[in-house]
Every structure is written in C-alpha cells, then in structure tokens.
C-alpha cells in the first residue's frame, strides 16, 4: 500500500467508527477516493454542517439543530404526558423506530459511574424540571438492565420521590445485562407493555 499521509489518517479515523476495523476502513476510503465528486465533496460539506449546527439539547439531551428549536422538548404540536428516560441517543432512536412509544424522550448522556460519569454530569436535574413544568403523568425508566443502568434508575426514582408522578420501568422482555439499542422491536414492545410501577404515587 502506498504511504500517503492523508489516506493513512483517513483510514485511522474511519476505523474508529463502531463496527469498522482497518480492513473495512480501507475499503471505504478506496470507495471514497474513486468517487470523490459523488461522495467525498458532499460528505465533507455535510460533516462540516453537522459539526457546525448539530448539538445536544441542554434540557432533554437529544440532538437538535442550532438553526431550529428542539422538536423533542419544545413541541407545540403535541403535548405529551409521558417521558421515556434513556441513557443515550442510540436508545432513543431504537425506541422511536419501533413506533412503540408516543411521548417525550429524555436522554441522560450515560449512566452513573459509567465512563467516569457522575450523577452531576447527567441530565437528571433537567428531568425533574421537565416533569414539574410539563405536568408529566408518567416517567418511564428505560435504562439498560446492567448494574450501571439499574443504579441510575434507582437514583432517578429517588430524585422524583417528592413529586406526584407515576414512575415505571421496563420489565418483561428486557434481558439482564441487555442494552436498549440492541433489542429487537418485539422485545421492546413486550418491555413497554409489561412495565412495572416503582412508586406508590398515582396520577
């Protein structure tokens, strides 16, 4: 292989993407180089726009454009009474694609103690604010069935204990140690339908 610095650097960057190794990265780079007008130029422009304009919402944690408001937490078309709390954006996308849940999402940005995260790093305080402001009836804890996910769910449950809101968690169909983004639609549907109540508050 030719020792071209730009190509080597591009291969290194692409191989860092999930599910891709050096061999796959090389094939992708070769495809890009051979189709520079159709792929490289529009890809570079789109990446630049994403870098410039796409950020996480400080309130709900989902992705939004700087050029528009947040369609998740600033929705004026739909006023939902439920919030589904997930760990990351991949979990939100998985649940959205299944068409199981109709309501707001709240993306924490990780779990307590995962990857060095502390509870102060997560969007738990803004979740409490949203529940109060939007007069939410139910908070669905859709964190993963890992130790970190369950620890985070218990902390959120405790944080909401003084608010009159129903708190539920995904139940049957969610395997121990399972992560939301890896579940199929049937498993997610079962988990949502059989979610269990965590507190004694009623709404």
């Amino acid at each position: 292989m030719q020792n071209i610095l730009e190509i080597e650097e591009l291969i290194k960057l692409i191989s860092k993407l999930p599910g891709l190794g050096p061999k796959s990265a090389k094939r992708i780079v070769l495809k890009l180089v051979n189709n520079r007008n159709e792929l490289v130029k529009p890809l570079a422009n789109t990446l630049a726009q994403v870098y410039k304009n796409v950020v996480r919402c400080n309130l709900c944690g989902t992705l939004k454009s700087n050029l528009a408001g947040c369609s998740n937490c600033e929705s004026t078309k739909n006023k939902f009474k439920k919030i589904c709390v997930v760990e990351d954006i991949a979990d939100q996308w998985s649940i959205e694609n299944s068409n199981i849940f109709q309501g707001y999402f709240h993306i924490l940005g990780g779990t307590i103690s995962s990857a060095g995260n502390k509870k102060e790093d997560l969007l738990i305080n803004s979740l409490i604010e949203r529940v109060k402001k939007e007069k939410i009836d139910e908070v669905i804890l859709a964190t993963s069935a890992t130790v970190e996910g369950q620890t985070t769910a218990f902390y959120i449950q405790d944080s909401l204990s003084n608010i009159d809101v129903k708190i539920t968690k995904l139940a049957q169909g969610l395997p121990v140690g399972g992560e939301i983004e890896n579940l199929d639609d049937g498993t997610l549907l079962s988990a949502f339908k059989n979610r269990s109540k965590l507190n004694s508050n009623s709404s």
Side-chain angles (χ1 to χ4, degrees):
M1 181 176 171
Q2 293 174 283
N3 185 22
I4 302 174
L5 182 62
E6 293 86 350
I7 297 294
E8 292 284 352
E9 186 62 27
L10 186 56
I11 290 172
K12 287 180 182 178
L13 289 172
I14 292 178
S15 64
K16 292 180 180 180
L17 297 175
L20 296 177
K23 288 186 178 180
S24 297
K26 288 178 183 178
R27 287 196 295 268
I28 291 172
V29 168
L30 186 59
K31 180 72 174 180
L32 290 172
V33 170
N34 288 335
N35 298 272
R36 61 179 64 207
N37 290 328
E38 296 83 1
L39 294 176
V40 176
K41 189 173 181 179
L43 179 61
N45 290 335
T46 301
L47 286 173
Q49 290 301 311
V50 168
Y51 181 80
K52 178 181 177 182
N53 296 323
V54 178
V55 295
R56 283 191 69 198
C57 175
N58 291 327
L59 184 61
C60 72
T62 195
L63 293 178
K64 74 180 190 74
S65 172
N66 282 328
L67 306 177
C70 178
S71 60
N72 177 52
C73 66
E74 298 175 7
S75 175
T76 55
K77 181 180 179 181
N78 297 308
K79 284 295 180 182
F80 300 113
K81 292 298 181 182
K82 295 179 181 180
I83 289 182
C84 181
V85 181
V86 296
E87 294 172 17
D88 54 45
I89 293 166
D91 296 337
Q92 175 195 355
W93 288 354
S94 295
I95 295 172
E96 280 182 329
N97 290 337
S98 69
N99 293 316
I100 293 168
F101 174 72
Q102 291 295 318
Y104 296 116
F105 282 92
H106 192 87
I107 298 85
L108 297 170
T111 58
I112 295 174
S113 76
S114 68
N117 282 334
K118 299 178 181 178
K119 56 180 179 292
E120 294 82 6
D121 299 326
L122 307 178
L123 294 181
I124 296 176
N125 289 335
S126 66
L127 171 63
I128 297 171
E129 292 176 12
R130 292 183 70 196
V131 171
K132 292 178 179 177
K133 181 180 178 182
E134 301 295 334
K135 299 179 180 179
I136 297 298
D137 291 336
E138 181 182 3
V139 174
I140 303 171
L141 300 178
T143 55
S144 298
T146 60
V147 173
E148 293 85 359
Q150 295 306 300
T151 299
T152 304
F154 288 135
Y155 180 81
I156 293 173
Q157 179 187 353
D158 185 61
S159 299
L160 295 170
S161 61
N162 294 325
I163 302 175
D164 185 20
V165 62
K166 180 180 178 182
I167 305 173
T168 59
K169 69 173 180 178
L170 301 191
Q172 297 177 11
L174 187 62
V176 174
E179 296 185 350
I180 299 296
E181 65 174 297
N182 296 325
L183 301 180
D184 59 80
D185 289 356
T187 302
L188 276 173
L189 177 61
S190 177
F192 267 90
K193 281 190 172 182
N194 296 287
R195 62 183 184 272
S196 57
K197 191 172 180 181
L198 295 176
N199 60 356
S200 58
N201 294 335
S202 59
S203 56

